[in-house]
Amino acid sequence: MDPAQLAVSVRLLGAGRRGTDWNLTWHTENPDFTKCFQNTVLVWVPCIYLWVCFPIYFLYLRRHDRGYIQMSHLNKAKTALGLLLWIICWADLFYSFWERSQNVFRPPVFVISPTVLGITMLLATFLIQFERMKGVQSSGVMLIFWFTALLCATIIFRSKILHALKLGPEVDVFRYVTFYSYFVLVLIQLILSCFPERPPLFSETNPCPESSASFLSKITFWWITGLMIQGYRRPLEAKDLWSLNKDDTSGEVVQGLAKYWEKECQTKSSNSNGDVTEEVEALIVKPSQRNSAPSLLKVLYKTFGPYFLMSFLFKACHDLMMFSGPEILKLLINFVNDKDAPNWQGYLYTGLLFACACLQTLILHQYFHICFVTGMRLKTAVIGAVYRKALVITNSARKTSTVGEIVNLMSVDAQRFMDLTTYINMIWSAPLQVILALYLLWQNLGPSVLAGVAVMILLVPVNAVMAMKTKTYQVAHMKSKDNRIKLMNEILNGIKVLKLYAWELAFKEKVLGIRQEELKVLKKSVALSTFAVYVLVDKNNVLDAQKAFVSLALFNILRFPLNILPMVISSMVQASVSLERLRLFLSHEELDPDMGIWCFSVFDTVIKCSPLFVCAIVSSKAELGVIYFSINFTVPEGSLIAIVGQVGCGKSSLLSALLGEMDKREGYVAVKGSVAYVPQQAWIQNAALKDNIIFGREMKESQYKRVIEACALLPDIEILPSGDRTEIGEKGVNLSGGQKQRVSLARAVYCNTDVYLFDDPLSAVDAHVGKHIFDKVIGPKGILKNKTRILVTHGVSYLPLMDRIIVMTDGKISEMGSYQELLKQDGAFAEFLRTYANADQDVENGGKQLSNSSTYSGETRKSLNQTSTTELQKAPAEKNAWKLTEADTAKTGRVKAIVYWEYMKSIGLLISFLSIFLFMCNHIAALASNYWLSLWTDDPVINGTQQHTHVRLGVYGALGMSQGIAVFGYSMAVSIGGIFASRHLHIDLLHNVLRSPMSFFERTPSGNLVNRFSKEIDTIDSVIPQIIKMFMGSLFNVIGACIIILLATPIAAIVIPPLGLVYFFVQRFYVATSRQLKRLESVSRSPVYSHFNETLLGVSVIRAFEEQTRFKLQSDLKVDENQKAYFPSIVANRWLAVRLECVGNCIVLFAALFAVIARHSLSPGLVGLSVSYSLQVTTYLNWLVRMTSELETNIVAVERVQEYSEMEKEAPWCIEQTAPPNSWPHEGQVEFRGYGLRYREDLDLVLKNINVTIKGGEKVGIVGRTGAGKSSLTLGLFRINESAEGEIIIDGVNVAKIGLHDLRFKITIIPQDPVLFSGSLRMNLDPFDKYSDEEIWTSLELAHLKNFVSSLPDKLNHECSEGGENLSVGQRQLVCLARALLRKSKILVLDEATAAVDLETDDLIQSTIRTQFEDCTVLTIAHRLNTIMDYERVIVLDKGEIVECDSPANLLQKKGIFYSMAKDSGLV
């Protein structure tokens, strides 16, 4: 190199700082960079990148260790290449030193660059190994590094080749060789780093491929392609789904949230609460703590913030890149205008546009992915937290949050949070976009932008006001939604009673009333949002028309944040409402875990006689004013205690207090050892019979058999279709009352704990079964003889065998002692005994009775020896043949067009077509106005102005106005139409569900139905109309853009169809999978709700057995199952969007490319128009597909709501032609002729050839052991189940020929389980408002409730809580009696109606029935035989047939079944 050249290069090094020689690089047909630029900037860029990333990346890897990856060939190769690269760089360096020694002085760059590069290569090699140790399978940081290095090297490579061609022999051979080898090695490194390493040691089963995918596969979402192909070939099933990533499972997520929430609550309570010693003071101080409530937002931020913050970076990058499009467009238009510019510049711009667009796509979808995953975790966390809280809140807190509300917290509110995560970043990103766009517009247009800006600024306060208004509507909407779901829940729980009383219509009106309120609110908010849309769209009209396609592109960017802001704001409003509701729920008071002190041996020394409880003044706060219990008693270990007393005197409440379920005022409760509890109303899970008994304990064959035999379940298991594997429906629908109670008892016995609390379990079973159970289980010779047992009972015959009897009156213990002691005291108790069961006889019989164990259990014992477990389970072949509840099923295949048609019909066809027409108008106007604009920009300029400006401006303005009007029109049309549709669909759904036969409710878990009424109706209300608007909008936009591109550059016609095809295929491919995933997700959501409902009903049992952990785990599993379907559907969305945007980016590429090629024949106006439209195409395509799939996946809601209209219905409610006369039945004669009944087509007859005539006014008792078909007889009479053969005739009218309501209004039943609905007492007695207050009071007086009701503050308007929980079971039974007295029909059926009341009340009821229903026909199904001893006839049923039928006296002489039952009851 001669000195002159050297001088040049040194000078260039100085200048190189400032850049390059423009003549060399820009204004030439063959551009190149200067040597100096190549040796400095191009070498240093990758190095700087890696060194900047290194510290952050290093720390990140230190924190997130994913396990150790073993050395693989791939890893060895990467490391070796890294070292080779380092050697090459240093070879360069040493060569430079060698040159120095040869006195060839090169600029310092030749020393600096190789050194820097060499050290960087060492760093890269170190990172390759470090990543392997930390379990990184594919690294983005390294891939980007190798890619930048290769890109820079490629430029130098081209330049070197050009030089070699020019200079020929004068090249620096050594450096050329080192450089080419460097280039090749970097290329190989890049290729290698595209492949992932093997997974770290110890990974899980069927893992999600995401973790092991390579970086490229992750950013393009290539890793889900396998699932997409599978979903395209055949509909996906649950087993095809991957297990969740560990970070997304309930276990991880909920734990995190719970931990932070605990901390937050503790810090808040420690701040506000000083050291309070006295209890009284504590009570005074408590209310003031409410000021600083724990902040849920903070907790959510701590839990999900760190991961979510990544999305901020992505979003910011994306926003900045968005503006590169219009800027490059500006350069491109200049290029088309400047006819002398070299061609390669046009291609460069095109390439840049394409590269930018692609990069934007990749970044945007990484951002969305993070948002959606966060949303998913949020939902998991919320459901988990709500579930855990529901297990521990106090009863008083349960009153404030009904089941409906809690279910809504899990479904609707959790969903709101999910929706918000995707939008929340818009809060800062939208203003940022607006500011950037305005800045660039100002540069383009100057001050005339201000007019547009002014309008926008004026709109901000308008929007704010609207948001506030929307919030109030939102709260109201949620409130009525809660009420509706709560009512639906009750209707579904009490559906049997509704049907028996023929009350469906009254309740249908109630639900529709609430629904009406809900829709009213919805209408208001719709009107608001439409107004907002109109105002926002109208801003186009302020545009000042300069030559402005760049501005047009910028305005298009501007439009998006402005349109989305109101949406974000409303989404935030909804989420804040939900946040507050959730916070309130999570801050409810919890049960004090030390309520019952579960204590061990400590107490033996403190209080003699090894006490079981010392219970000083415990008060129970029920809603009927406070019942104060002043109670002191101890129970020795291993004794048997009875608690007796009248209805409502607090027996059950006492047991609750022992379980720690009551609010304790003072004193303490201590229980030694573990507890088992049998509630008064059995709680049965929807699971196999066996699982209900084992209840999470381990299976011990011998113990299990003993328990089943003792609880008299063997005969029942023989009757059930698949033995003890038979699935029991929700709330035990397919078991009779007695069977449920015995299963509940068996569960307690199997658990084998120290203390047993029985809340009157014997009332629901027949006398002889009750006796068998008492002997075998509870009594002095039963399985539990060495345990401590507390039995609440009404059965007098058991009392002599008790160690101690506690008599309660009005919440106090009036007497306490053994049977003999109490008789000697001659107090209230002795009085009570004399009146009821002839007491002396009982005392004598006491010993005798026990020795003579019932004949029935003798038979059972015989059969037990023959049955082996296999028989218990029956032939397993049948097992699957009989599943009771149908899981929510997923339909497969495309959503049928008929569903859309149904939806359009429910909107109303006129409105449907009107809105489509308005859409067309709007888009035609928009296209026309932009085309007009491009013609205007091409107007020739004469003397510095254009001609015809006014005409142009006028037309442009008119087009803008018409656009505004069309938008307003279609927004209104779609929204109003949506409301019509959802009203119509809801009425249909409700009507169809109420018209379904009872068997439908037994088969369908209530979770499915609640799911339909909450989630699907919510979707139809608020999601579908929005989606339709967006779908139509993006559809027309895409079509419009294609038309414009074709107009501008007709040659594009070659490319658009193939791209369209690609697009179409990708779309079909995707929808197949996405739709099925959505369905799977929908189906797996129902069990979450069902399980939750079930838990809420049995929460006291779960707590008593201390099974909370198991239930939490079950709930988590169900949520994870649901998220397993949801996660792939998010990723599938991203997969699709990336593919489609690439298609869109190709359109941009071709539009720009054709414009460059044909630039000599095109006007700049058209180029601008076509490219600015093509820039939008990507967004629109993306939206179009998102909306198509959203529409198709959400229309599934309509499909599922419609499903129930095809279900079988029960007979019509009223039939005009055959309606019986009003006076019917005048005598009340009931005749069964050859009657038979079966529950389902595929089951055996439960009643066979029943032939019996009951005369008018006759009193008939029906007895038989549990499950003999007694209740089935009444179901047949009410046509809850239609007859299989024969007929029932009442006063000459065949029951099967008349309408159901005609029949059910004329017969009255007092059902086995007394069901009340939440609402006033008056509503519960008379939902149709038929009777006067006097009549109601009379009926209450006859039902012995008058004193109780008049003592209530609200009298008849007393609010019953959900399921009537604030009345005792006995009181509820009396309310049912009062209903019957009101209706006063000729035929009265009592279905074990007095099972839950004490003998005294029972006596009152019986006398009331005798006097009030003297001339009516009364059919009584009885467990207590003494109630029917004075009836005219008794029918004895066994296995569905009548075995004996005669007067009680005659039957006793026959010494048949009836005699043995009477003997068991101690009546003989």
Side-chain angles (χ1 to χ4, degrees), residues 1368-1402:
S1368 75
V1369 181
Q1371 284 164 335
R1372 282 182 247 170
Q1373 200 79 60
L1374 294 177
V1375 171
C1376 292
L1377 175 68
R1379 282 180 193 161
L1381 290 163
L1382 263 182
R1383 278 172 87 156
K1384 209 52 198 300
S1385 53
K1386 268 292 188 196
I1387 299 175
L1388 175 69
V1389 180
L1390 300 177
D1391 187 352
E1392 303 170 357
T1394 53
V1397 291
D1398 57 294
L1399 295 172
E1400 197 173 341
T1401 320
D1402 192 359

Side-chain angles (χ1 to χ4, degrees), residues 709 715 767-769 771-772 775-776 849-863 1265 1455-1465:
E709 191 246 347
H768 59 279
V769 181
K771 179 163 182 317
H772 168 89
D775 298 348
K776 289 274 180 271
Q849 231 174 298
L850 280 172
S851 57
N852 149 21
S853 183
S854 78
T855 49
Y856 152 71
S857 52
E859 290 163 41
T860 330
R861 199 163 301 115
K862 265 185 304 212
S863 66
R1265 61 169 301 279
K1455 302 257 181 206
I1457 296 184
F1458 185 70
Y1459 173 75
S1460 65
M1461 286 168 76
K1463 199 162 153 191
D1464 287 346
S1465 309

Side-chain angles (χ1 to χ4, degrees), residues 1001-1018:
F1001 295 98
E1002 291 170 3
R1003 285 197 311 268
T1004 315
S1006 63
N1008 296 9
L1009 290 165
V1010 171
N1011 195 356
R1012 297 284 195 282
F1013 277 103
S1014 67
K1015 195 75 184 56
E1016 317 291 7
I1017 289 287
D1018 186 47

Side-chain angles (χ1 to χ4, degrees), residues 634-794:
T634 32
V635 178
E637 208 167 335
S639 60
L640 171 58
I641 305 282
I643 302 180
V644 295
Q646 285 196 332
V647 170
C649 68
K651 302 182 295 291
S652 302
S653 302
L654 179 62
L655 292 190
S656 294
L658 296 178
L659 287 169
E661 300 264 322
M662 291 294 189
D663 295 354
K664 181 178 62 174
R665 285 304 158 82
E666 44 186 328
Y668 67 99
V669 187
V671 180
K672 178 182 166 199
S674 53
V675 177
Y677 169 61
V678 181
Q680 192 166 2
Q681 285 183 304
W683 173 71
I684 305 289
Q685 275 187 281
N686 179 2
L689 180 73
K690 191 170 178 178
D691 300 335
N692 259 306
I693 295 176
I694 294 173
F695 203 56
R697 305 290 195 274
E698 62 200 86
M699 174 70 186
K700 297 195 190 108
E701 201 57 63
S702 55
Q703 185 185 351
Y704 178 66
K705 272 167 124 170
R706 253 177 60 217
V707 169
I708 281 192
E709 191 246 347
C711 293
L713 278 167
L714 270 179
D716 303 295
I717 288 180
E718 280 168 26
I719 301 172
L720 288 172
S722 356
D724 62 358
R725 295 238 195 108
T726 308
E727 190 193 355
I728 308 299
E730 246 182 287
K731 299 191 220 50
V733 279
N734 49 342
L735 296 179
S736 70
Q739 286 168 328
K740 280 192 251 190
Q741 200 60 63
R742 292 203 302 274
V743 170
S744 176
L745 188 71
R747 173 194 304 153
V749 178
Y750 186 84
C751 278
N752 194 12
T753 54
D754 307 331
V755 180
Y756 282 85
L757 307 178
F758 298 110
D759 195 348
D760 202 5
L762 300 175
S763 63
V765 295
D766 314 331
H768 59 279
V769 181
K771 179 163 182 317
H772 168 89
I773 289 178
F774 188 81
D775 298 348
K776 289 274 180 271
V777 182
I778 304 173
K781 296 204 173 63
I783 296 188
L784 304 176
K785 55 177 179 284
N786 302 323
K787 313 277 190 188
T788 310
R789 293 141 299 170
I790 296 189
L791 173 70
V792 170
T793 184
H794 293 303

Side-chain angles (χ1 to χ4, degrees), residues 799-815:
L799 295 181
L801 307 166
M802 300 292 172
D803 301 339
R804 178 80 83 55
I805 297 169
I806 294 176
V807 185
M808 292 188 70
T809 43
D810 296 333
K812 298 190 180 53
I813 293 183
S814 54
E815 299 177 75

Side-chain angles (χ1 to χ4, degrees), residues 402-463:
T402 55
V403 177
E405 272 181 48
I406 301 177
V407 169
N408 262 349
L409 278 178
M410 293 177 79
S411 60
V412 185
D413 293 332
Q415 196 60 43
R416 293 273 144 86
F417 282 130
M418 266 172 92
D419 296 343
L420 183 65
T421 47
T422 40
Y423 290 131
I424 187 98
N425 278 332
M426 292 307 292
I427 282 299
W428 58 267
S429 148
L432 175 75
Q433 289 182 24
V434 171
I435 292 167
L436 274 172
L438 289 179
Y439 168 70
L440 293 170
L441 274 173
W442 178 273
Q443 283 193 327
N444 267 324
L445 301 182
S448 55
V449 178
L450 292 178
V453 178
V455 174
M456 287 172 194
I457 289 172
L458 284 176
L459 289 182
V460 173
V462 177
N463 267 341

Side-chain angles (χ1 to χ4, degrees), residues 1087-1104:
V1088 177
Y1089 297 157
S1090 291
H1091 179 247
F1092 188 65
N1093 260 337
E1094 205 169 70
T1095 310
L1096 286 177
L1097 290 170
V1099 77
S1100 52
V1101 179
I1102 296 173
R1103 284 180 201 155

